[in-house]
Amino acid sequence: MEITILAFGIAKDILGGIRVNITLNEPANIHALKQQLEHNYPPLKELASYMIAVNNNYASDTQTILSTDEIALIPPVSGG
Amino acid sequence: MIPQENAHLRYACQLVLPGFNVEAQQKLANAKVLLVGAGGLGCPAAQYLVAAGIGSITIVDDDVISAGNLHRQILYAQHEIGRFKATIAAEKLQLQNPFITINAVIERVGADNVMELVRHCDIVVDGTDNFDTRYLLNDACYLLKKPLVYGAIYQYEGQVAVWNIATTDGKRTPHYRDVFPSVDATMVPNCAEGGVLPTIAGIIGCMQANEVIKYITGIGEILAAKLLMLDVQTLQSRIIQLQPASHTVVEALPKPIIAPEISISTYKANIAQYFLVDIRTSAERAFAHMGGVHLPMENLKDNPQLLDQEKPVLLYCASGKRSYELVKILQQVTDTPLYSLKGGMKAWLEA
């Protein structure tokens, strides 16, 4: 299935846009999504941590993803 | 009692608020707030906390005002460049509200002083600009069971959350490490490097003050177990619902890793003694540079043998933050003495 990722902060630079599509084999969970993302965009792995939110809820690695879900990739931010 | 005779006049417009009253004002007067970082977030947060009548505010910052701060750090003026932020902030804020206690602490928050600073307050505001201090504050607040009002900004975006609130079942709401367990700081630009719109600093700082006021008075619903994200380009905001309770145990403060730094004046007096390396991107290099060899950060991370030089190697970037973080990483894989140029290109241009 194809899903759309909304990128925030430095993730916009890493993914090359605020909205990118990614193809996942079904059934897919957050862990599989992260692996695919880090494969397609290696600097994500270097960040060490980032949050995935599904429909505005924090998503753990085992959570299943549906093609209709809104998925946000939220990296840490340090500025003050 | 609220320590002033005309409190009913000064605070009249909040005392008449539905749900607000003299008891709420008294709670503000009794409160002790620790504000770490008197920069883009700390300035607006402090202004509203002071104006609202927080009884005691301690402002901790070891930095001095620079020209590049003035577009967003609105407590400071042109003629105050070079003076300590905490001192100037406390002086001006005290004029705004002479009936509260404001302490300026000119220290860098570190493992040596953080517990003592946090122990004596009711709530902490994180207005820092680097991951090391954010994690340190987070862990100290976790260990001392103090709420922490987090705010962070990048370009046109901001994040706000309140960490570490006691829940009715005796647990604590999530903290920073539940959301971001660790970070490679070289990967995330700060305000000096990535840029920041001044108004996002004001908005997020005000939101932090807003959460402090709500927490102390008990009015409204605080951002506990939630993370607010705001994009000022669209003014779209969203609140991410986090897990209800924290699962990440912090057992002790993180061990500090220090990178040796060289100041601009030291470098200028000993230019020939260092092998100077510009670690910025090609685009940044093309725009302006201060000499040295250009070895971008990613290149150095993958090829640390490039650091095998006869002289000590001095790394520089735009602000001194990326080079500092890179020295922390690379000093573990090379025997060459490594230094970070404090303040980077920005300090070079301002010197």
Side-chain angles (χ1 to χ4, degrees):
Chain A
M1 65 177 168
E2 190 165 75
I3 55 166
T4 302
I5 313 283
L6 299 176
F8 294 87
I10 190 70
K12 288 192 293 197
D13 296 348
I14 295 174
L15 270 59
I18 56 171
R19 209 176 279 268
V20 297
N21 293 329
I22 191 165
T23 305
L24 290 177
N25 295 325
E26 290 182 72
N29 63 15
I30 296 292
H31 179 69
L33 169 69
K34 284 181 168 174
Q35 284 197 316
Q36 189 63 51
L37 279 171
E38 290 170 14
H39 174 77
N40 294 6
Y41 308 100
L44 266 188
K45 200 176 172 62
E46 286 182 52
L47 265 183
S49 61
Y50 54 90
M51 170 167 63
I52 300 285
V54 175
N55 304 325
N56 287 336
N57 285 282
Y58 176 90
S60 60
D61 277 5
T62 53
Q63 187 172 330
T64 307
I65 300 170
L66 306 174
S67 61
T68 49
D69 285 334
E70 187 206 54
I71 299 186
L73 195 173
I74 302 162
V77 173
S78 72
Chain B
M1 277 302 290
I2 303 165
Q4 70 186 103
E5 297 215 331
N6 66 345
H8 63 289
L9 293 177
R10 176 175 269 269
Y11 304 115
C13 291
Q14 60 199 48
L15 286 164
V16 297
L17 273 173
F20 203 101
N21 51 30
V22 173
E23 286 73 43
Q25 191 64 51
Q26 189 61 56
K27 286 179 185 169
L28 293 178
N30 293 343
K32 297 190 185 77
V33 175
L34 176 69
L35 175 67
V36 182
L41 298 171
C43 284
Q47 282 182 287
Y48 279 96
L49 292 173
V50 163
I54 297 287
S56 168
I57 300 181
T58 299
I59 301 168
V60 192
D61 198 312
D62 73 331
D63 200 7
V64 296
I65 299 160
S66 71
N69 297 148
L70 297 177
H71 83 130
R72 69 185 185 285
Q73 302 185 15
I74 52 173
L75 275 170
Y76 313 127
Q78 180 69 31
H79 70 277
E80 290 156 347
I81 288 172
R83 296 193 59 196
F84 284 111
K85 291 180 183 181
T87 309
I88 298 291
E91 277 174 22
K92 292 192 181 175
L93 294 165
Q94 195 72 78
L95 291 174
Q96 204 281 341
N97 193 341
F99 307 103
I100 64 168
T101 303
I102 303 173
N103 302 304
V105 178
I106 302 167
E107 288 175 21
R108 185 159 188 85
V109 173
D112 54 332
N113 60 2
V114 70
M115 295 298 272
E116 219 31 48
L117 286 165
V118 171
R119 195 188 312 279
H120 297 292
C121 72
D122 302 312
I123 184 165
V124 181
V125 179
D126 176 357
T128 62
D129 63 355
N130 65 87
F131 288 114
D132 283 349
T133 318
R134 289 190 185 279
Y135 281 113
L136 184 72
L137 264 187
N138 179 76
D139 295 352
C141 287
Y142 178 95
L143 293 169
L144 293 166
K145 297 186 164 61
K146 303 281 186 181
L148 175 60
V149 183
Y150 158 82
I153 50 179
Y154 174 72
Q155 295 182 341
Y156 300 96
E157 292 178 28
Q159 299 182 349
V160 187
V162 183
W163 309 129
N164 211 28
I165 295 288
T167 61
T168 47
D169 56 0
K171 294 177 179 167
R172 292 259 156 185
T173 60
H175 57 89
Y176 196 44
R177 288 190 191 272
D178 285 300
V179 181
F180 301 117
S182 64
V183 174
D184 177 346
T186 62
M187 295 296 293
V188 187
N190 63 7
C191 294
E193 294 160 343
V196 66
L197 196 71
T199 43
I200 184 73
I203 292 167
I204 297 296
C206 283
M207 284 184 171
Q208 290 181 276
N210 186 57
E211 293 308 299
V212 171
I213 292 169
K214 284 171 12 187
Y215 172 78
I216 291 167
T217 58
I219 290 165
E221 194 181 308
I222 54 173
L223 276 170
K226 292 172 187 163
L227 178 79
L228 179 140
M229 317 229 316
L230 174 69
D231 180 342
V232 288
Q233 288 185 102
T234 55
L235 278 179
Q236 207 169 45
S237 70
R238 61 176 67 217
I239 292 177
I240 308 295
Q241 186 72 51
L242 305 175
Q243 290 172 313
S246 170
H247 296 287
T248 310
V249 175
V250 176
E251 283 174 352
L253 292 181
K255 285 208 173 66
I257 302 171
I258 309 288
E261 291 179 289
I262 298 280
S263 70
I264 287 286
S265 54
T266 306
Y267 170 63
K268 278 185 167 173
N270 306 279
I271 285 184
Q273 291 185 22
Y274 298 99
F275 185 82
L276 186 67
V277 177
D278 181 356
I279 64 152
R280 301 171 304 154
T281 62
S282 299
E284 289 176 284
R285 174 82 176 178
F287 186 65
H289 65 83
M290 48 174 282
V293 177
H294 184 219
L295 297 171
M297 191 168 71
E298 290 71 28
N299 195 359
L300 273 176
K301 274 190 196 168
D302 294 340
N303 305 288
Q305 75 279 4
L306 293 169
L307 297 166
D308 295 342
Q309 303 292 336
E310 286 182 6
K311 295 176 185 176
V313 173
L314 178 60
L315 306 183
Y316 77 90
C317 64
S319 71
K321 291 272 164 60
R322 269 176 298 174
S323 56
Y324 186 87
E325 296 299 332
L326 192 59
V327 169
K328 276 166 51 178
I329 294 171
L330 292 176
Q331 67 187 0
Q332 294 168 38
V333 295
T334 181
D335 294 329
T336 309
L338 293 185
Y339 298 92
S340 166
L341 184 69
K342 197 176 166 80
M345 273 286 288
K346 187 164 157 273
W348 172 265
L349 293 171
E350 287 176 1

